[in-house]
Structures are given as C-alpha cells and as structure tokens.
Amino acid sequence: MNNPLTGTREPAGLTIAPASLDAWHEVAEWCADEGWNPGRGDVGCFHPTDPAGFFTGRIDGELATAISVVTYSDRYAFLGYYLTRPDLRGRGLGLATWRAAFGHAGDRLVGLDAVPAQQANYQRSGFIPAYGTVRWSGRPERAGAPAPGTVPVAPEHLDAIAAYDRECFPADRRGFVSRWLGTAGHTAHVRLRDGRVTGYGVIRPARDAYRIGPLFADTPDDAGALLDALTSGLGPGDEVAVDMPETQPAAAEIAADRGLTAQFPTVRMYTGPAPEIRTERVFGITTLELG
C-alpha cells in the first residue's frame, strides 16, 4: 500500500503511522524487553518534544516496527528507537518504516547513536561517524556528603540551566529540560560557583539500573561532584549507567575512579558535519534515544 507520509509503497500488510503517547508506552516496554533499560518516566518527557515525530508500523494491528525522528528546531533532529520485532526481521519492514518516517526531518541535520555493528548500514544512508560513546555501569562508590556548591535543582534555576544546556546541545530544548528536571522520580543537581551554573546532571530510575544523563559540567571537578551528588541517595545494591562520550577523556577516569566499568560502545553519527557545541562540557549524554 502507498504511505501517505511519503508516497512510497510499504510491504504488504504493514501500516505505518505517527504514534500517540499511549502507543509509545508500548514501544518503551518493547525497548525494555530488548535490554535498552529505558527510564521509567522517559515516555512522558520524550513524546511531547515532537508528538508528530514518533512512528510505529503495525501488521494486523500488532506492533511490528518503531522509529522516532524528533525535530528539536528548524535545523536539528534526532533519530532513535529504530526497532523491528525479532520474528519479523529480514523482510524489509524496518527499512520501510525508516523511509516513511525519515522525511519528517526535512532538510535538518539528523543525529543518531549507533551500535558498531550497524555503523556501516547507517553510513550507507548518509550518516557520518563523529565520535564514540561508552556506557559505564556498576555500583558507584560513595563520596559522602555532596561537595560545596552542588545543590538540588530548584525552580529558580531553570532559566540558567536551560541556557547552559543550550551550549551543550545542538538546539534549544527548554521544554524538554523543564520536563526532564521535574518528572517524578528524577533527581537533578546543579553546580554553582558565585551564583553561576557550572554544570548540572539528572539521575532517573530505569528497569535494570538508574540512568544518569545529562552530565554537563565546566570541569572534571564539577562533573565528579555532580556524579557524587546524584548517586548519594542510592542504596548499597543500586547500580547506575551513564553514556560518556570519548570527546571528553576525563569522563572515563571519573567513572573508573568511582568503580564503574565500561560495558558497551556506541557511535554518534550525523547526516553532515557535527554541530558546534561545548563538547568539553559533555561528560554524559542525556539519552541514546533522543540525544
């Protein structure tokens, strides 16, 4: 059948359409079953960012494929949640869903995080590798009381944090940041020096481990203090996971010093030159799903 989104023909029986918030909860459960360890409140933060940017493919009403192409601005979008049900792989359903959804990005620069095994496939679709990211996981060693100047985020910090975030991310995402900071279960800390924000971070509960992201900071000392503050309230058996880019070499040292171990790599890729941001401040990306 022809897809009204793109005019292309889909494989027989596959219907591709934008997904509602309720439908995306089903996708999140699928991601959890695949071992992606999504945060428990992620869907409510992600979907409102661009409600038209989440797509599912269904066969006889049953979920078969998924993908998100979230537009953050008129210049930047991010692709994630690219999934095909295991029993349906090898039939071109995922590629058909990709083609139907990708046009939502228009002429924007598009980013994604790829597992190394899929890097060549993404390159054939025009994506260019920019840098590697490594997930560090484990039970963090406790540092005791949070360092001076590291405090829980309060409403009066939002404007300054949103401005700081904009320097670390390719688009203004104030709405997302506001939801990310305020969602139930999320704990956020900000690092202040003479009243100026020098970093912030968020930790949230997930199915298998608490996930930390973003972890943005001026210096390794700021990043370490934030990481310690974020993990200070965890129980002795709780584990964390944080995706750290190789563009910030000190990030790995901070994680290793706290007893975390490197688990698996991904590759950040873009459809053009990497956007100009303050990469030296990025010690942990926000999410692999939305950048």
PDB file of all heavy atoms in Angstrom, residues 52-83:
ATOM      1  N   ALA A  52       4.626  14.595  16.628  1.00  0.00           N
ATOM      2  CA  ALA A  52       4.495  14.076  15.266  1.00  0.00           C
ATOM      3  C   ALA A  52       5.711  13.270  14.833  1.00  0.00           C
ATOM      4  O   ALA A  52       5.732  12.739  13.716  1.00  0.00           O
ATOM      5  CB  ALA A  52       4.269  15.228  14.286  1.00  0.00           C
ATOM      6  N   GLY A  53       6.724  13.153  15.708  1.00  0.00           N
ATOM      7  CA  GLY A  53       7.981  12.533  15.314  1.00  0.00           C
ATOM      8  C   GLY A  53       8.167  11.099  15.766  1.00  0.00           C
ATOM      9  O   GLY A  53       9.281  10.572  15.681  1.00  0.00           O
ATOM     10  N   PHE A  54       7.097  10.448  16.228  1.00  0.00           N
ATOM     11  CA  PHE A  54       7.180   9.071  16.708  1.00  0.00           C
ATOM     12  C   PHE A  54       6.291   8.190  15.829  1.00  0.00           C
ATOM     13  O   PHE A  54       5.111   8.491  15.638  1.00  0.00           O
ATOM     14  CB  PHE A  54       6.746   8.983  18.168  1.00  0.00           C
ATOM     15  CG  PHE A  54       7.659   9.724  19.109  1.00  0.00           C
ATOM     16  CD1 PHE A  54       7.556  11.101  19.259  1.00  0.00           C
ATOM     17  CD2 PHE A  54       8.619   9.051  19.836  1.00  0.00           C
ATOM     18  CE1 PHE A  54       8.405  11.793  20.115  1.00  0.00           C
ATOM     19  CE2 PHE A  54       9.466   9.735  20.703  1.00  0.00           C
ATOM     20  CZ  PHE A  54       9.369  11.107  20.834  1.00  0.00           C
ATOM     21  N   PHE A  55       6.858   7.106  15.298  1.00  0.00           N
ATOM     22  CA  PHE A  55       6.155   6.301  14.296  1.00  0.00           C
ATOM     23  C   PHE A  55       6.187   4.822  14.673  1.00  0.00           C
ATOM     24  O   PHE A  55       7.190   4.317  15.182  1.00  0.00           O
ATOM     25  CB  PHE A  55       6.819   6.468  12.927  1.00  0.00           C
ATOM     26  CG  PHE A  55       6.841   7.881  12.430  1.00  0.00           C
ATOM     27  CD1 PHE A  55       7.865   8.746  12.797  1.00  0.00           C
ATOM     28  CD2 PHE A  55       5.840   8.366  11.595  1.00  0.00           C
ATOM     29  CE1 PHE A  55       7.898  10.056  12.344  1.00  0.00           C
ATOM     30  CE2 PHE A  55       5.861   9.671  11.143  1.00  0.00           C
ATOM     31  CZ  PHE A  55       6.889  10.525  11.511  1.00  0.00           C
ATOM     32  N   THR A  56       5.095   4.148  14.382  1.00  0.00           N
ATOM     33  CA  THR A  56       5.053   2.699  14.521  1.00  0.00           C
ATOM     34  C   THR A  56       4.546   2.085  13.223  1.00  0.00           C
ATOM     35  O   THR A  56       3.775   2.694  12.478  1.00  0.00           O
ATOM     36  CB  THR A  56       4.128   2.250  15.671  1.00  0.00           C
ATOM     37  OG1 THR A  56       2.817   2.806  15.475  1.00  0.00           O
ATOM     38  CG2 THR A  56       4.680   2.682  17.004  1.00  0.00           C
ATOM     39  N   GLY A  57       5.000   0.856  12.981  1.00  0.00           N
ATOM     40  CA  GLY A  57       4.464   0.045  11.906  1.00  0.00           C
ATOM     41  C   GLY A  57       3.706  -1.120  12.513  1.00  0.00           C
ATOM     42  O   GLY A  57       4.192  -1.755  13.463  1.00  0.00           O
ATOM     43  N   ARG A  58       2.534  -1.412  11.999  1.00  0.00           N
ATOM     44  CA  ARG A  58       1.719  -2.492  12.544  1.00  0.00           C
ATOM     45  C   ARG A  58       1.272  -3.446  11.446  1.00  0.00           C
ATOM     46  O   ARG A  58       1.031  -3.027  10.303  1.00  0.00           O
ATOM     47  CB  ARG A  58       0.496  -1.938  13.279  1.00  0.00           C
ATOM     48  CG  ARG A  58       0.872  -1.142  14.538  1.00  0.00           C
ATOM     49  CD  ARG A  58      -0.339  -0.643  15.303  1.00  0.00           C
ATOM     50  NE  ARG A  58       0.070   0.105  16.479  1.00  0.00           N
ATOM     51  CZ  ARG A  58       0.289  -0.429  17.677  1.00  0.00           C
ATOM     52  NH1 ARG A  58       0.119  -1.737  17.848  1.00  0.00           N
ATOM     53  NH2 ARG A  58       0.672   0.310  18.696  1.00  0.00           N
ATOM     54  N   ILE A  59       1.158  -4.699  11.801  1.00  0.00           N
ATOM     55  CA  ILE A  59       0.610  -5.732  10.934  1.00  0.00           C
ATOM     56  C   ILE A  59      -0.560  -6.360  11.661  1.00  0.00           C
ATOM     57  O   ILE A  59      -0.398  -6.866  12.787  1.00  0.00           O
ATOM     58  CB  ILE A  59       1.669  -6.795  10.579  1.00  0.00           C
ATOM     59  CG1 ILE A  59       2.807  -6.163   9.761  1.00  0.00           C
ATOM     60  CG2 ILE A  59       1.035  -7.953   9.810  1.00  0.00           C
ATOM     61  CD1 ILE A  59       3.926  -7.130   9.438  1.00  0.00           C
ATOM     62  N   ASP A  60      -1.753  -6.275  11.047  1.00  0.00           N
ATOM     63  CA  ASP A  60      -2.979  -6.776  11.683  1.00  0.00           C
ATOM     64  C   ASP A  60      -3.161  -6.176  13.073  1.00  0.00           C
ATOM     65  O   ASP A  60      -3.615  -6.847  14.010  1.00  0.00           O
ATOM     66  CB  ASP A  60      -2.958  -8.309  11.771  1.00  0.00           C
ATOM     67  CG  ASP A  60      -2.940  -8.976  10.405  1.00  0.00           C
ATOM     68  OD1 ASP A  60      -3.505  -8.388   9.458  1.00  0.00           O
ATOM     69  OD2 ASP A  60      -2.358 -10.064  10.289  1.00  0.00           O
ATOM     70  N   GLY A  61      -2.780  -4.918  13.199  1.00  0.00           N
ATOM     71  CA  GLY A  61      -2.947  -4.202  14.456  1.00  0.00           C
ATOM     72  C   GLY A  61      -1.879  -4.452  15.486  1.00  0.00           C
ATOM     73  O   GLY A  61      -1.854  -3.782  16.528  1.00  0.00           O
ATOM     74  N   GLU A  62      -0.969  -5.386  15.223  1.00  0.00           N
ATOM     75  CA  GLU A  62       0.081  -5.715  16.180  1.00  0.00           C
ATOM     76  C   GLU A  62       1.354  -4.932  15.872  1.00  0.00           C
ATOM     77  O   GLU A  62       1.739  -4.777  14.705  1.00  0.00           O
ATOM     78  CB  GLU A  62       0.385  -7.217  16.140  1.00  0.00           C
ATOM     79  CG  GLU A  62      -0.781  -8.090  16.568  1.00  0.00           C
ATOM     80  CD  GLU A  62      -1.137  -7.908  18.023  1.00  0.00           C
ATOM     81  OE1 GLU A  62      -0.207  -7.702  18.843  1.00  0.00           O
ATOM     82  OE2 GLU A  62      -2.338  -7.964  18.355  1.00  0.00           O
ATOM     83  N   LEU A  63       2.010  -4.449  16.924  1.00  0.00           N
ATOM     84  CA  LEU A  63       3.231  -3.671  16.760  1.00  0.00           C
ATOM     85  C   LEU A  63       4.313  -4.496  16.070  1.00  0.00           C
ATOM     86  O   LEU A  63       4.621  -5.611  16.491  1.00  0.00           O
ATOM     87  CB  LEU A  63       3.725  -3.203  18.130  1.00  0.00           C
ATOM     88  CG  LEU A  63       4.903  -2.237  18.161  1.00  0.00           C
ATOM     89  CD1 LEU A  63       4.546  -0.929  17.471  1.00  0.00           C
ATOM     90  CD2 LEU A  63       5.302  -1.965  19.614  1.00  0.00           C
ATOM     91  N   ALA A  64       4.889  -3.940  14.985  1.00  0.00           N
ATOM     92  CA  ALA A  64       5.908  -4.643  14.211  1.00  0.00           C
ATOM     93  C   ALA A  64       7.215  -3.872  14.127  1.00  0.00           C
ATOM     94  O   ALA A  64       8.295  -4.459  14.158  1.00  0.00           O
ATOM     95  CB  ALA A  64       5.398  -4.928  12.795  1.00  0.00           C
ATOM     96  N   THR A  65       7.134  -2.540  14.009  1.00  0.00           N
ATOM     97  CA  THR A  65       8.323  -1.712  13.873  1.00  0.00           C
ATOM     98  C   THR A  65       8.114  -0.399  14.623  1.00  0.00           C
ATOM     99  O   THR A  65       6.983  -0.025  14.945  1.00  0.00           O
ATOM    100  CB  THR A  65       8.627  -1.378  12.398  1.00  0.00           C
ATOM    101  OG1 THR A  65       7.498  -0.667  11.843  1.00  0.00           O
ATOM    102  CG2 THR A  65       8.894  -2.638  11.583  1.00  0.00           C
ATOM    103  N   ALA A  66       9.203   0.290  14.885  1.00  0.00           N
ATOM    104  CA  ALA A  66       9.122   1.605  15.519  1.00  0.00           C
ATOM    105  C   ALA A  66      10.333   2.429  15.123  1.00  0.00           C
ATOM    106  O   ALA A  66      11.406   1.888  14.805  1.00  0.00           O
ATOM    107  CB  ALA A  66       9.047   1.477  17.039  1.00  0.00           C
ATOM    108  N   ILE A  67      10.156   3.739  15.161  1.00  0.00           N
ATOM    109  CA  ILE A  67      11.270   4.669  14.947  1.00  0.00           C
ATOM    110  C   ILE A  67      10.812   6.052  15.408  1.00  0.00           C
ATOM    111  O   ILE A  67       9.617   6.368  15.353  1.00  0.00           O
ATOM    112  CB  ILE A  67      11.705   4.711  13.465  1.00  0.00           C
ATOM    113  CG1 ILE A  67      13.066   5.398  13.313  1.00  0.00           C
ATOM    114  CG2 ILE A  67      10.657   5.399  12.598  1.00  0.00           C
ATOM    115  CD1 ILE A  67      13.652   5.258  11.911  1.00  0.00           C
ATOM    116  N   SER A  68      11.735   6.844  15.917  1.00  0.00           N
ATOM    117  CA  SER A  68      11.438   8.243  16.217  1.00  0.00           C
ATOM    118  C   SER A  68      12.380   9.128  15.421  1.00  0.00           C
ATOM    119  O   SER A  68      13.558   8.809  15.251  1.00  0.00           O
ATOM    120  CB  SER A  68      11.576   8.532  17.717  1.00  0.00           C
ATOM    121  OG  SER A  68      12.898   8.306  18.163  1.00  0.00           O
ATOM    122  N   VAL A  69      11.837  10.218  14.901  1.00  0.00           N
ATOM    123  CA  VAL A  69      12.621  11.243  14.210  1.00  0.00           C
ATOM    124  C   VAL A  69      12.158  12.569  14.798  1.00  0.00           C
ATOM    125  O   VAL A  69      11.234  13.210  14.303  1.00  0.00           O
ATOM    126  CB  VAL A  69      12.420  11.202  12.681  1.00  0.00           C
ATOM    127  CG1 VAL A  69      13.317  12.230  11.996  1.00  0.00           C
ATOM    128  CG2 VAL A  69      12.692   9.802  12.135  1.00  0.00           C
ATOM    129  N   VAL A  70      12.782  12.952  15.894  1.00  0.00           N
ATOM    130  CA  VAL A  70      12.320  14.079  16.700  1.00  0.00           C
ATOM    131  C   VAL A  70      12.994  15.365  16.251  1.00  0.00           C
ATOM    132  O   VAL A  70      14.231  15.457  16.239  1.00  0.00           O
ATOM    133  CB  VAL A  70      12.598  13.807  18.190  1.00  0.00           C
ATOM    134  CG1 VAL A  70      12.334  15.052  19.026  1.00  0.00           C
ATOM    135  CG2 VAL A  70      11.735  12.650  18.668  1.00  0.00           C
ATOM    136  N   THR A  71      12.197  16.346  15.876  1.00  0.00           N
ATOM    137  CA  THR A  71      12.730  17.637  15.461  1.00  0.00           C
ATOM    138  C   THR A  71      12.817  18.565  16.671  1.00  0.00           C
ATOM    139  O   THR A  71      11.820  18.813  17.345  1.00  0.00           O
ATOM    140  CB  THR A  71      11.861  18.272  14.377  1.00  0.00           C
ATOM    141  OG1 THR A  71      10.522  18.452  14.862  1.00  0.00           O
ATOM    142  CG2 THR A  71      11.811  17.379  13.133  1.00  0.00           C
ATOM    143  N   TYR A  72      14.016  19.046  16.942  1.00  0.00           N
ATOM    144  CA  TYR A  72      14.242  19.964  18.048  1.00  0.00           C
ATOM    145  C   TYR A  72      14.164  21.428  17.618  1.00  0.00           C
ATOM    146  O   TYR A  72      13.880  22.300  18.433  1.00  0.00           O
ATOM    147  CB  TYR A  72      15.616  19.714  18.665  1.00  0.00           C
ATOM    148  CG  TYR A  72      15.671  18.558  19.635  1.00  0.00           C
ATOM    149  CD1 TYR A  72      16.231  17.343  19.276  1.00  0.00           C
ATOM    150  CD2 TYR A  72      15.174  18.688  20.926  1.00  0.00           C
ATOM    151  CE1 TYR A  72      16.304  16.286  20.170  1.00  0.00           C
ATOM    152  CE2 TYR A  72      15.235  17.640  21.829  1.00  0.00           C
ATOM    153  CZ  TYR A  72      15.802  16.442  21.447  1.00  0.00           C
ATOM    154  OH  TYR A  72      15.868  15.396  22.334  1.00  0.00           O
ATOM    155  N   SER A  73      14.473  21.690  16.361  1.00  0.00           N
ATOM    156  CA  SER A  73      14.475  23.050  15.838  1.00  0.00           C
ATOM    157  C   SER A  73      14.335  22.961  14.330  1.00  0.00           C
ATOM    158  O   SER A  73      14.186  21.870  13.774  1.00  0.00           O
ATOM    159  CB  SER A  73      15.780  23.768  16.216  1.00  0.00           C
ATOM    160  OG  SER A  73      16.877  23.223  15.481  1.00  0.00           O
ATOM    161  N   ASP A  74      14.406  24.108  13.658  1.00  0.00           N
ATOM    162  CA  ASP A  74      14.330  24.069  12.196  1.00  0.00           C
ATOM    163  C   ASP A  74      15.647  23.644  11.564  1.00  0.00           C
ATOM    164  O   ASP A  74      15.746  23.556  10.336  1.00  0.00           O
ATOM    165  CB  ASP A  74      13.889  25.427  11.644  1.00  0.00           C
ATOM    166  CG  ASP A  74      14.841  26.556  12.034  1.00  0.00           C
ATOM    167  OD1 ASP A  74      15.853  26.301  12.726  1.00  0.00           O
ATOM    168  OD2 ASP A  74      14.575  27.715  11.640  1.00  0.00           O
ATOM    169  N   ARG A  75      16.642  23.308  12.417  1.00  0.00           N
ATOM    170  CA  ARG A  75      17.943  22.902  11.893  1.00  0.00           C
ATOM    171  C   ARG A  75      18.423  21.550  12.397  1.00  0.00           C
ATOM    172  O   ARG A  75      19.392  21.000  11.867  1.00  0.00           O
ATOM    173  CB  ARG A  75      19.000  23.969  12.246  1.00  0.00           C
ATOM    174  CG  ARG A  75      18.688  25.351  11.686  1.00  0.00           C
ATOM    175  CD  ARG A  75      19.742  26.361  12.072  1.00  0.00           C
ATOM    176  NE  ARG A  75      21.041  26.048  11.504  1.00  0.00           N
ATOM    177  CZ  ARG A  75      22.149  26.744  11.743  1.00  0.00           C
ATOM    178  NH1 ARG A  75      22.107  27.783  12.565  1.00  0.00           N
ATOM    179  NH2 ARG A  75      23.287  26.395  11.186  1.00  0.00           N
ATOM    180  N   TYR A  76      17.771  20.986  13.427  1.00  0.00           N
ATOM    181  CA  TYR A  76      18.311  19.774  14.042  1.00  0.00           C
ATOM    182  C   TYR A  76      17.208  18.796  14.422  1.00  0.00           C
ATOM    183  O   TYR A  76      16.158  19.183  14.944  1.00  0.00           O
ATOM    184  CB  TYR A  76      19.108  20.127  15.299  1.00  0.00           C
ATOM    185  CG  TYR A  76      19.834  18.947  15.914  1.00  0.00           C
ATOM    186  CD1 TYR A  76      20.850  18.283  15.229  1.00  0.00           C
ATOM    187  CD2 TYR A  76      19.494  18.488  17.186  1.00  0.00           C
ATOM    188  CE1 TYR A  76      21.509  17.200  15.793  1.00  0.00           C
ATOM    189  CE2 TYR A  76      20.164  17.403  17.766  1.00  0.00           C
ATOM    190  CZ  TYR A  76      21.157  16.770  17.056  1.00  0.00           C
ATOM    191  OH  TYR A  76      21.806  15.693  17.605  1.00  0.00           O
ATOM    192  N   ALA A  77      17.487  17.500  14.157  1.00  0.00           N
ATOM    193  CA  ALA A  77      16.586  16.411  14.547  1.00  0.00           C
ATOM    194  C   ALA A  77      17.431  15.238  15.026  1.00  0.00           C
ATOM    195  O   ALA A  77      18.626  15.146  14.733  1.00  0.00           O
ATOM    196  CB  ALA A  77      15.698  15.997  13.371  1.00  0.00           C
ATOM    197  N   PHE A  78      16.779  14.330  15.745  1.00  0.00           N
ATOM    198  CA  PHE A  78      17.496  13.164  16.253  1.00  0.00           C
ATOM    199  C   PHE A  78      16.669  11.917  16.016  1.00  0.00           C
ATOM    200  O   PHE A  78      15.455  11.903  16.253  1.00  0.00           O
ATOM    201  CB  PHE A  78      17.793  13.300  17.748  1.00  0.00           C
ATOM    202  CG  PHE A  78      18.887  12.384  18.224  1.00  0.00           C
ATOM    203  CD1 PHE A  78      20.226  12.755  18.103  1.00  0.00           C
ATOM    204  CD2 PHE A  78      18.590  11.141  18.762  1.00  0.00           C
ATOM    205  CE1 PHE A  78      21.238  11.908  18.510  1.00  0.00           C
ATOM    206  CE2 PHE A  78      19.598  10.281  19.176  1.00  0.00           C
ATOM    207  CZ  PHE A  78      20.932  10.662  19.047  1.00  0.00           C
ATOM    208  N   LEU A  79      17.339  10.861  15.549  1.00  0.00           N
ATOM    209  CA  LEU A  79      16.678   9.605  15.220  1.00  0.00           C
ATOM    210  C   LEU A  79      16.977   8.562  16.294  1.00  0.00           C
ATOM    211  O   LEU A  79      18.130   8.405  16.718  1.00  0.00           O
ATOM    212  CB  LEU A  79      17.155   9.113  13.853  1.00  0.00           C
ATOM    213  CG  LEU A  79      16.486   7.885  13.235  1.00  0.00           C
ATOM    214  CD1 LEU A  79      16.532   7.988  11.710  1.00  0.00           C
ATOM    215  CD2 LEU A  79      17.157   6.576  13.669  1.00  0.00           C
ATOM    216  N   GLY A  80      15.960   7.848  16.720  1.00  0.00           N
ATOM    217  CA  GLY A  80      16.142   6.820  17.734  1.00  0.00           C
ATOM    218  C   GLY A  80      15.035   5.782  17.687  1.00  0.00           C
ATOM    219  O   GLY A  80      14.173   5.800  16.797  1.00  0.00           O
ATOM    220  N   TYR A  81      15.068   4.854  18.646  1.00  0.00           N
ATOM    221  CA  TYR A  81      14.024   3.834  18.778  1.00  0.00           C
ATOM    222  C   TYR A  81      13.827   3.017  17.502  1.00  0.00           C
ATOM    223  O   TYR A  81      12.716   2.571  17.214  1.00  0.00           O
ATOM    224  CB  TYR A  81      12.685   4.481  19.160  1.00  0.00           C
ATOM    225  CG  TYR A  81      12.575   4.931  20.583  1.00  0.00           C
ATOM    226  CD1 TYR A  81      12.661   6.276  20.914  1.00  0.00           C
ATOM    227  CD2 TYR A  81      12.351   4.015  21.603  1.00  0.00           C
ATOM    228  CE1 TYR A  81      12.523   6.705  22.230  1.00  0.00           C
ATOM    229  CE2 TYR A  81      12.211   4.433  22.921  1.00  0.00           C
ATOM    230  CZ  TYR A  81      12.302   5.773  23.227  1.00  0.00           C
ATOM    231  OH  TYR A  81      12.167   6.187  24.525  1.00  0.00           O
ATOM    232  N   TYR A  82      14.868   2.812  16.738  1.00  0.00           N
ATOM    233  CA  TYR A  82      14.730   2.079  15.476  1.00  0.00           C
ATOM    234  C   TYR A  82      14.670   0.587  15.779  1.00  0.00           C
ATOM    235  O   TYR A  82      15.685  -0.032  16.107  1.00  0.00           O
ATOM    236  CB  TYR A  82      15.903   2.423  14.560  1.00  0.00           C
ATOM    237  CG  TYR A  82      15.823   1.848  13.168  1.00  0.00           C
ATOM    238  CD1 TYR A  82      14.613   1.716  12.501  1.00  0.00           C
ATOM    239  CD2 TYR A  82      16.982   1.453  12.503  1.00  0.00           C
ATOM    240  CE1 TYR A  82      14.546   1.203  11.228  1.00  0.00           C
ATOM    241  CE2 TYR A  82      16.932   0.939  11.214  1.00  0.00           C
ATOM    242  CZ  TYR A  82      15.706   0.815  10.590  1.00  0.00           C
ATOM    243  OH  TYR A  82      15.643   0.301   9.315  1.00  0.00           O
ATOM    244  N   LEU A  83      13.481  -0.010  15.667  1.00  0.00           N
ATOM    245  CA  LEU A  83      13.240  -1.377  16.101  1.00  0.00           C
ATOM    246  C   LEU A  83      12.391  -2.139  15.097  1.00  0.00           C
ATOM    247  O   LEU A  83      11.483  -1.574  14.478  1.00  0.00           O
ATOM    248  CB  LEU A  83      12.497  -1.382  17.445  1.00  0.00           C
ATOM    249  CG  LEU A  83      13.264  -0.951  18.691  1.00  0.00           C
ATOM    250  CD1 LEU A  83      12.287  -0.603  19.804  1.00  0.00           C
ATOM    251  CD2 LEU A  83      14.187  -2.073  19.143  1.00  0.00           C
TER     252      LEU A  83
END
